[in-house]
Amino acid sequence: MNAVDAGPGNAVHAIAAIVVTHQSAATIEECLSRLRAAAGVAEIRVVDNASGDDTLAVVQRHAAADTRLRFIANPDNPGFAVACNQGAADCQAPWLAFVNPDCLVEVDSLIRLQAHAEALGGALLGADLVDESGVRDAAARRNDPNFARMLRAPSSARLGVPIDGSQAVQRVDAVSGALLLLPRALFTRIGGFDIAYRLHAEDLDLCRRARAAGAAVAVANDVRVVHVRGVSSRARPLFVEWHKHRGFWRYFRKFEAPSCGLATRCAVFMLVWGRFPFAVLRALLRRH
């Protein structure tokens, strides 16, 4: 254990890193190696959702070498939101960092996010996510979806927000769940992740509820993290797209539908689910 990171003087700044895995053998080794070396990390919790590859063997090896790391092996796959909440409940640190197994943090990534979050009064922070070629992930900076507006202006379906290079910290409606950090107190106050989402849109939901609770949501444009996207999802495009569209439909029903008429609700249903077969086809073509 790194005494600098876990010493008693740093208890108020201690970070628990929570990683949800599923068929993540391709990247979990490097992900955990980097988290173990990262400044500020006092606890690491890995929640595995029924991996059938070597993911757990890698996790067990890291757990044997580092007392900060514990894991939960779910016998089935209850979904990303459930697993995130499990990990948060199994640790005590006052800061929570949710890190995808295909995110590769630098030594100072999390403490720099934390410093920005503290400066904003306890905000929810995301990072400048890029792929291995340095191409930015559009999901790192997003507007809230507005499905009724999408019916009138299809171009508004693009949720990505351009980076404002003049700002080290850029306020946005939502950040990517691939890597986000927030105070435990905020996470607890808003009830954690909504477990009715199985996969996708739970990060949009969490950010929206954080803002409704009075917290800022922002991206640290000066904290760059590599995100090797879609390692575990490419093998199951139908599963992924089904739950992505199911998540968007839930998001609409939760936040927009109560203020919409029947005709609009029906039209949004057709918009979301009419896109589903084309999204599956595109995912299959991309896979092959």
Side-chain angles (χ1 to χ4, degrees):
M1 183 185 297
N2 188 327
V4 173
D5 298 340
N10 291 321
V12 71
H13 299 294
I15 299 169
I18 298 156
V19 184
V20 176
T21 55
H22 175 72
Q23 308 291 80
S24 305
T27 57
I28 191 61
E29 171 73 45
E30 187 170 5
C31 173
L32 292 181
S33 295
R34 286 171 175 253
L35 284 174
R36 289 173 58 193
V41 175
E43 299 174 277
I44 302 172
R45 296 293 179 267
V46 178
V47 184
D48 184 73
N49 282 345
S51 290
D53 59 5
D54 292 333
T55 298
L56 270 179
V58 176
V59 173
Q60 287 172 323
R61 177 160 46 79
H62 280 273
D66 193 328
T67 57
R68 293 174 298 169
L69 198 157
R70 296 207 304 256
F71 66 90
I72 299 168
N74 287 325
D76 57 359
N77 186 347
F80 179 77
V82 169
C84 284
N85 289 350
Q86 283 180 287
D90 192 59
C91 56
Q92 288 79 45
W95 287 86
L96 300 172
F98 295 94
V99 184
N100 268 20
D102 51 8
C103 273
L104 310 177
V105 302
E106 302 298 331
V107 170
D108 62 350
S109 297
L110 298 183
I111 59 169
R112 291 173 65 198
L113 288 178
Q114 183 184 59
H116 286 314
E118 288 180 326
L120 289 174
L124 188 160
L125 257 289
D128 182 25
L129 301 177
V130 298
D131 67 14
E132 294 165 293
S133 301
V135 177
R136 284 196 167 92
D137 184 351
R141 302 165 187 80
R142 285 182 286 181
N143 290 313
D144 287 335
N146 186 314
F147 293 94
R149 186 170 63 231
M150 290 176 196
L151 293 172
R152 300 188 299 270
S155 61
S156 64
R158 296 181 181 274
L159 302 180
V161 176
I163 184 172
D164 183 346
S166 68
Q167 300 184 64
V169 179
Q170 179 178 350
R171 294 204 184 202
V172 292
D173 288 346
V175 301
S176 171
L179 174 61
L180 60 84
L181 177 141
L182 74 167
R184 178 184 292 276
L186 173 60
F187 187 76
T188 301
R189 188 163 81 248
I190 64 178
F193 282 97
D194 181 345
I195 63 173
Y197 295 94
R198 180 74 180 272
L199 185 68
H200 287 289
E202 65 283 301
D203 48 2
L204 292 167
D205 181 290
L206 185 79
C207 291
R208 185 159 182 160
R209 287 185 289 117
R211 290 180 7 247
V217 174
V219 175
N221 290 331
D222 62 349
V223 180
R224 176 169 287 198
V225 173
V226 173
H227 179 207
V228 186
R229 297 189 64 187
V231 171
S232 62
S233 63
R234 279 194 291 261
R236 306 180 67 190
L238 180 61
F239 176 88
V240 170
E241 291 298 336
W242 169 260
H243 286 292
K244 180 186 291 186
H245 287 73
R246 179 176 174 270
F248 281 135
W249 177 241
R250 170 165 179 74
Y251 184 96
F252 168 75
R253 288 190 297 113
K254 185 173 180 177
F255 294 111
E256 276 189 72
S259 62
C260 294
L262 178 60
T264 299
R265 294 198 298 271
C266 291
V268 170
F269 180 87
M270 294 175 64
L271 171 71
V272 171
W273 289 108
R275 179 183 178 277
F276 172 67
F278 299 100
V280 172
L281 178 60
R282 186 170 61 248
L284 287 169
L285 291 172
R286 193 162 54 236
R287 175 186 174 189
H288 293 292

